[in-house]
Every structure is written in structure tokens, then in C-alpha cells.
Amino acid sequence: MESEAEIIDLDLSRQVAAREAAAAINARLPAGFRVHEAALLDWRNPSPSASIDCTVYRLDCADCDAGHLSERISAFLTADTVPATRMKKGRAVEVDLRPGVRSARFEAGTLYLEMTHGSPLPVAAHLLECDEDRIRGLVPRKIGVVLKETGDDT
């Protein structure tokens, strides 16, 4: 899976402005990598992974039947549970795909999934009625990470 949205946690040896830290990191990153946003957080804040509200994924699938996929998305989002079978460590495991998906939409040949937890691969495979290997071949991409509101305006 490709990604345009990652979070890193740095413990700096001295106080540095967020903008200055981002500029210093960008000056040393290889071509194609860039820090787009930086923020200073108090050390007492939750870890970055505990601060994630949801992650947004994009999957280009221009050859999909838009009407059929829209119907599947609607049925998925209105369902209480969406049972599926996944292979884990060589054995079949029953899972519910529905709880980790906050939203799904298909527009202009692109499937967008907003997820609070779990992998987008089995969800996309279910919606597109194919296996996860086919989804990997469509090159899903993480395009956003939404952080939880802290209630701290400082």
C-alpha cells in the first residue's frame, strides 16, 4: 500500500519551532518525501497512534460499475454487520468488516474509505466483489490521517 499521510513522533534534544523542525527534516529527506505539517505537542499528550481518529484511503478503480458499486456501498453502510472470512496465519477466521468503516463513497472512478480501525483491503475486496490480491494490484493509497480533537487550543 502506498501512503501520502504518515505521522512521526520525534523527541528533540532542544526546543525547536515546529516550522523550523519541518524545514530541517525536509532539507534531509530524499526526493519525493516531504513533511507537509508539523506541530509541537506536550510530552503528556497521547502517543501519535492513540491520537488517530480515522484514516482515509483512496483506491482508483475507474473500470468499476459505478451504479452497482454505489448500491453495494449503500448496503454496506446501512448494515449492522458485514461478515467476511479472512486468512490469518494460514487459517480462515470470521470477521465483521462493518465496525471499522466510518464512511465509504465512490466518485469519479475512485473509491474512498474512511476507517477508524482495520485494513481497507478486505473492505474494498468486499465492495468490489474480488479478492484482496486484486485490491493490492489496484494500489490502494492512504491519503489522510484525522487526529482526535484534544480540546486544547494552545
Side-chain angles (χ1 to χ4, degrees), residues 19-100:
R19 211 175 299 215
E20 181 184 343
I25 293 168
N26 281 332
R28 290 166 180 81
L29 287 173
F33 290 87
R34 180 163 165 60
V35 173
H36 293 280
E37 187 176 338
L40 295 177
L41 301 175
D42 188 278
W43 66 271
R44 293 170 289 221
N45 281 27
S47 70
S49 61
S51 301
I52 295 172
D53 182 48
C54 68
T55 305
V56 183
Y57 299 93
R58 179 184 75 212
L59 184 68
D60 296 322
C61 46
D63 60 345
C64 296
D65 177 346
H68 181 66
L69 181 53
S70 294
E71 289 172 8
R72 288 190 59 79
I73 289 170
S74 180
F76 182 93
L77 293 175
T78 57
D80 292 329
T81 62
V82 179
T85 303
R86 292 199 73 196
M87 294 304 291
K88 293 191 179 198
K89 298 182 182 180
R91 52 180 261 242
V93 177
E94 294 299 314
V95 296
D96 182 5
L97 299 176
R98 183 61 189 92

